[in-house]
């Protein structure tokens, strides 16, 4: 009998600790257990949603930062190396489905402490590639500022996931409700995907439309024909301006627009991005 067979029960993946088995319960309580499946699912979803195509090159996010609360980070630091390798093994097959030429060594996962997170919660940021130098600075927490979603040094192109935090409560367990002032800036869009129509209202002077989860208006694209931040619409001095940024084209009233050249648009105009027809609503 080999060592591996002899000690088979001791050879467990980090993900196995998610199982409600006797062995898992011996290792950690439910509150302290690493939420491996949730982290793995979050990484895969971020990777798939933020794939981009530039010419003939497929760009896939390969650098991820996972934020834990201070308590969770201190409890897990000794197994971070194992957790990192386990998560890479989970991501690699999904990455290969998108681009068979992708190398597993290109995936980088790091862990850090976020003192604003409560015990048991985590947050994931991503980038197309690992920064050349560590800055030692943490990202702004998601939701702290309306735009951009994260504030990072220039050499860190990280995008943050959106984490829903519970509302603050008073000591008597009553929620505090703050009436926000009525926003003065509104951009309304009527979006027709060909199968359904939706009207959205955004209280920002400048909005982005594209495939990425960080875009203000997310346009689904299974074949990556829609770029991340494919176009932007800005309300300036009472007028609307459209800036096309997607390599696969943005059309205004049937005419393809010149890339990176801003044009004026009005509520009577039709903006076409792939199968989406978009109109401004007054």
């Amino acid at each position: 009998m080999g060592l591996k067979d002899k000690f088979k029960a001791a050879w467990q993946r980090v993900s196995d600790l998610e199982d409600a088995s006797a062995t898992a319960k011996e290792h950690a309580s439910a509150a302290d257990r690493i939420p491996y499946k949730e982290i793995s699912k979050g990484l895969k979803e971020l990777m798939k949603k933020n794939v981009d195509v530039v010419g003939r090159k497929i760009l896939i996010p390969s650098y991820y930062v996972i934020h834990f609360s201070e308590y969770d980070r201190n409890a897990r630091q000794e197994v971070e190396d194992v957790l990192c390798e386990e998560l890479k093994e989970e991501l690699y097959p999904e990455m290969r489905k998108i681009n068979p030429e992708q190398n597993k060594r290109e995936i980088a996962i790091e862990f850090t402490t976020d003192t604003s997170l409560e015990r048991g919660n985590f947050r994931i940021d991503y980038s197309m590639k690992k920064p050349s130098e560590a800055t030692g600075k943490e990202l702004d927490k998601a939701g702290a500022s309306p735009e951009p979603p994260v504030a990072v040094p220039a050499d860190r192109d990280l995008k943050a996931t959106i984490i829903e935090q519970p509302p603050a409560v008073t000591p008597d367990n009553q929620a505090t409700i703050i009436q926000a002032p009525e926003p003065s800036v509104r951009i309304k869009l009527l979006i027709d995907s060909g199968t359904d129509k939706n009207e959205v209202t955004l209280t920002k002077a400048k909005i982005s439309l594209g495939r990425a989860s960080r875009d203000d208006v997310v346009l689904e694209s299974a074949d990556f024909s829609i770029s991340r931040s494919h176009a932007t619409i800005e309300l300036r001095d009472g007028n609307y301006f459209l800036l096309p940024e997607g390599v696969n084209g943005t059309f205004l009233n049937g005419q393809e627009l010149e890339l990176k050249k801003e044009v004026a648009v009005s509520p009577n105009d039709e903006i076409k991005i792939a199968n989406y027809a978009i109109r401004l609503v007054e």
Side-chain angles (χ1 to χ4, degrees):
M1 180 182 294
L3 285 176
K4 187 172 181 180
D5 294 327
K6 186 176 181 180
F7 299 106
K8 188 174 182 180
W11 290 76
Q12 289 202 25
R13 294 167 58 90
V14 175
S15 57
D16 291 338
L17 297 182
E18 284 292 289
D19 298 333
S21 62
T23 305
K25 291 177 182 177
E26 290 173 3
H27 281 81
S29 67
D32 293 331
R33 205 169 298 151
I34 298 173
Y36 181 89
K37 292 180 180 178
E38 288 81 1
I39 295 173
S40 174
K41 181 180 178 181
L43 287 170
K44 293 174 184 177
E45 289 179 349
L46 274 177
M47 182 184 69
K48 292 176 183 177
K49 286 182 179 179
N50 295 286
V51 174
D52 206 353
V53 178
V54 178
R56 291 176 293 177
K57 188 173 180 62
I58 301 175
L59 303 179
I60 304 175
S62 60
Y63 175 56
Y64 303 87
V65 180
I66 302 173
H67 303 259
F68 289 126
S69 69
E70 186 173 8
Y71 177 92
D72 291 331
R73 181 82 194 285
N74 291 337
R76 297 164 182 170
Q77 279 186 316
E78 293 185 359
V79 298
E80 282 183 356
D81 290 344
V82 178
L83 180 58
C84 179
E85 293 305 314
E86 292 278 326
L87 292 171
K88 286 183 182 180
E89 291 294 332
E90 294 276 347
L91 272 181
Y92 182 55
E94 301 298 326
M95 182 178 280
R96 292 276 294 179
K97 290 178 184 178
I98 301 170
N99 183 8
E101 298 180 359
Q102 202 80 19
N103 193 307
K104 183 165 62 176
R105 288 177 296 180
E106 297 175 22
I107 302 175
I109 299 175
E110 294 181 4
F111 302 90
T112 188
T113 302
D114 185 338
T115 55
S116 72
L117 290 176
E118 295 183 0
R119 178 179 171 183
N121 293 338
F122 66 90
R123 179 168 63 89
I124 306 174
D125 299 329
Y126 74 93
S127 175
M128 285 298 173
K129 61 181 180 179
K130 185 176 181 180
S132 57
E133 296 180 359
T135 63
K137 296 182 180 179
E138 289 193 27
L139 300 174
D140 284 353
K141 308 305 175 289
S145 176
E147 64 172 311
V150 294
V152 297
D155 63 337
R156 292 182 64 125
D157 183 31
L158 293 171
K159 292 88 179 174
T161 56
I162 298 175
I163 303 297
E164 294 184 0
Q165 297 292 348
V169 296
T170 57
D172 61 358
N173 206 35
Q174 297 296 315
T176 301
I177 301 175
I178 301 175
Q179 182 66 44
E182 187 72 14
S184 59
V185 177
R186 291 176 183 270
I187 296 180
K188 292 185 179 181
L189 300 176
L190 179 62
I191 303 173
D192 185 351
S193 67
T195 56
D196 54 52
K197 295 182 180 180
N198 293 290
E199 185 175 305
V200 297
T201 301
L202 299 105
T203 55
K204 298 172 66 175
K206 185 177 182 179
I207 62 172
S208 63
L209 303 90
R211 197 186 70 250
S213 56
R214 70 178 302 198
D215 285 316
D216 299 302
V217 178
V218 179
L219 306 176
E220 300 291 341
S221 175
D223 60 357
F224 309 125
S225 59
I226 300 176
S227 301
R228 294 181 300 121
S229 298
H230 193 101
T232 59
I233 297 175
E234 183 174 4
L235 176 58
R236 199 166 63 236
D237 298 325
N239 298 308
Y240 296 97
F241 298 91
L242 171 66
L243 179 65
E245 299 179 281
V247 294
N248 288 319
T250 302
F251 296 80
L252 181 63
N253 298 326
Q255 297 295 317
E256 185 171 5
L257 298 176
E258 184 177 340
L259 192 65
K260 300 288 186 179
K261 185 175 181 180
E262 188 179 74
V263 297
V265 291
S266 70
N268 295 320
D269 295 328
E270 181 187 71
I271 302 167
K272 200 81 160 69
I273 298 176
N275 58 300
Y276 288 90
I278 303 163
R279 293 182 185 272
L280 291 160
V281 179
E282 290 184 313

